[in-house]
């Protein structure tokens, strides 16, 4: 783990499933899915176009269908053709895609299964905030629904943690992270909704430091997109991914029972 330096981009992804019309890959974290703010850094779309350079040379234009945060790892769907882009885009708009995530959270929830339906909006719309993209629970927010199920409880260095399966039935910004934090089970490594938003501001100004490592335990939030099902040409495509190695390593450090 890096000490006192900025978090490094990990330009890595693995092909999970592919057809002539689309490709599903599992991306590492932290890796942005497309160029952002004019910055020159590795991104998933660039990697896909390099991988499929022959198809690109013959007119293919890759289009991201679902977009994961930089620090969220896991399954991402990319269309290869205009026809696939339209068809998969419609499926996304009609909520015909099924997505599941695995999260590692602080604590042992009192529930085994629960549903959170609290509405979310950008915090800056209703109150001052130092973080423009931060979301919050608010009655004026957009409707949200996330299902949660505890997969495992464990301790690490005497501290309680849980592995949670998360099923978002809507697609709001930071939905899973906000809902879990509101339920009292923030995601490990979350710089915005974890111990303090000061962690995010410190990270932006100083990069990853030993102090942040002590507070957050992981250099990115422990959220992984593990299931992605989508309809295509009257067929339901199922894709599944194992938990990313860094999160597996965190769990492997659990105390012996």
């Amino acid at each position: 783990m890096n000490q006192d330096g900025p978090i490094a981009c990990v330009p890595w992804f693995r092909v999970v499933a592919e057809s002539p019309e689309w490709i599903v890959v599992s991306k590492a974290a932290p890796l942005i899915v497309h160029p952002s703010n004019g910055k020159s850094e590795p991104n998933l779309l660039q990697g896909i176009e390099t991988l499929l350079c022959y198809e690109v040379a013959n007119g293919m234009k890759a289009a991201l269908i679902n977009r994961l945060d930089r620090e969220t790892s896991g399954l991402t769907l990319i269309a290869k053709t205009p026809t696939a882009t339209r068809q998969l885009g419609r499926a996304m708009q009609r909520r015909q895609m099924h997505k599941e995530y695995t999260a590692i959270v602080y604590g042992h929830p009192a529930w085994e299964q629960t549903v959170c339906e609290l509405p979310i909006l950008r915090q800056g719309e209703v109150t001052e905030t130092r973080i423009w993209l931060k979301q919050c629970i608010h009655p004026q927010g957009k409707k949200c629904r996330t299902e949660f199920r505890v997969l495992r409880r464990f301790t690490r260095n005497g501290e309680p943690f849980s592995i949670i399966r998360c099923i978002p039935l809507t697609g709001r910004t930071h939905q899973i992270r906000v809902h879990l934090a509101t339920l009292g089970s923030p995601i490990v490594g979350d710089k915005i909704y974890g111990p303090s938003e000061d962690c995010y501001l410190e990270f932006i100004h100083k990069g990853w430091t030993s102090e942040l490592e002590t507070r957050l335990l992981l250099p990115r939030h422990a959220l992984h997109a593990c299931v992605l099902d989508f309809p295509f040409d009257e067929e339901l495509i199922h894709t599944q991914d194992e938990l990313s190695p860094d999160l597996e390593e965190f769990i492997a450090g659990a105390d012996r029972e």
Side-chain angles (χ1 to χ4, degrees):
M1 189 172 294
N2 293 337
Q3 295 290 327
D4 297 320
I7 194 167
C9 175
V10 181
W12 178 94
F13 64 89
R14 173 174 50 84
V15 176
V16 174
E18 186 177 7
S19 82
E21 301 284 328
W22 50 261
I23 183 171
V24 177
V25 302
S26 176
K27 86 169 187 73
L31 176 65
I32 55 173
V33 294
H34 57 78
S36 177
N37 299 325
K39 295 180 180 178
S40 177
E41 64 175 297
N43 60 82
L44 179 61
L45 190 58
Q46 178 187 66
I48 292 294
E49 291 173 342
T50 300
L51 175 69
L52 304 176
C53 58
Y54 176 80
E55 289 152 280
V56 170
N58 284 276
M60 188 204 84
K61 188 172 183 179
L64 291 160
I65 303 301
N66 70 308
R67 304 187 181 196
L68 300 180
D69 291 340
R70 175 194 292 269
E71 294 193 6
T72 301
S73 56
L75 298 172
T76 307
L77 173 61
I78 300 99
K80 295 182 180 182
T81 67
T83 299
T85 300
R86 289 190 296 270
Q87 186 177 152
L88 294 171
R90 284 195 299 268
M92 178 71 78
Q93 291 176 348
R94 296 170 181 172
R95 297 181 184 174
Q96 295 174 327
M97 294 189 176
H98 176 76
K99 295 178 281 186
E100 297 185 17
Y101 295 73
T102 300
I104 304 173
V105 305
Y106 292 100
H108 292 166
W111 41 266
E112 294 296 327
Q113 298 184 74
T114 193
V115 176
C116 187
E117 297 183 299
L118 296 173
I120 293 174
L121 55 59
R122 190 175 66 82
Q123 186 168 310
E125 295 181 24
V126 291
T127 186
E128 290 187 6
T129 177
R130 296 177 296 169
I131 303 175
W132 189 90
L133 49 69
K134 185 175 183 178
Q135 309 294 306
C136 69
I137 302 298
H138 195 276
Q140 296 177 12
K142 295 179 180 179
K143 293 181 179 179
C144 293
R145 180 182 173 92
T146 317
E147 297 178 356
F148 297 107
R149 181 173 76 254
V150 177
L151 299 180
R152 177 185 169 188
R153 292 177 168 84
F154 66 98
T155 61
R156 195 173 186 272
N157 298 324
E159 188 175 355
F161 299 94
S162 298
I163 304 172
I164 308 292
R165 180 55 54 90
C166 316
I167 305 176
L169 302 179
T170 50
R172 311 304 180 196
T173 301
H174 298 176
Q175 176 177 322
I176 292 173
R177 297 163 62 190
V178 175
H179 276 176
L180 281 172
T182 301
L183 291 172
S185 300
I187 296 176
V188 174
D190 198 323
K191 300 177 182 70
I192 299 178
Y193 306 103
S196 169
E197 65 178 29
D198 289 337
C199 293
Y200 177 81
L201 298 170
E202 180 178 340
F203 175 73
I204 293 300
H205 288 100
K206 298 181 181 179
W208 184 244
T209 65
S210 55
E211 290 80 8
L212 284 174
E213 182 177 355
T214 298
R215 298 191 71 184
L216 295 171
L217 306 181
L218 286 172
R220 60 97 165 193
H221 54 248
L223 185 63
H224 183 82
C226 56
V227 173
L228 177 60
D229 298 341
F230 57 93
F232 192 79
D233 284 350
E234 300 182 355
E235 180 182 0
L236 181 62
I237 310 298
H238 170 75
T239 60
Q240 190 166 343
D241 191 33
E242 297 179 353
L243 199 60
S244 60
D246 59 332
L247 302 188
E248 288 281 15
E249 182 179 353
F250 184 87
I251 296 169
D255 300 331
R256 293 186 178 182
E257 298 180 358

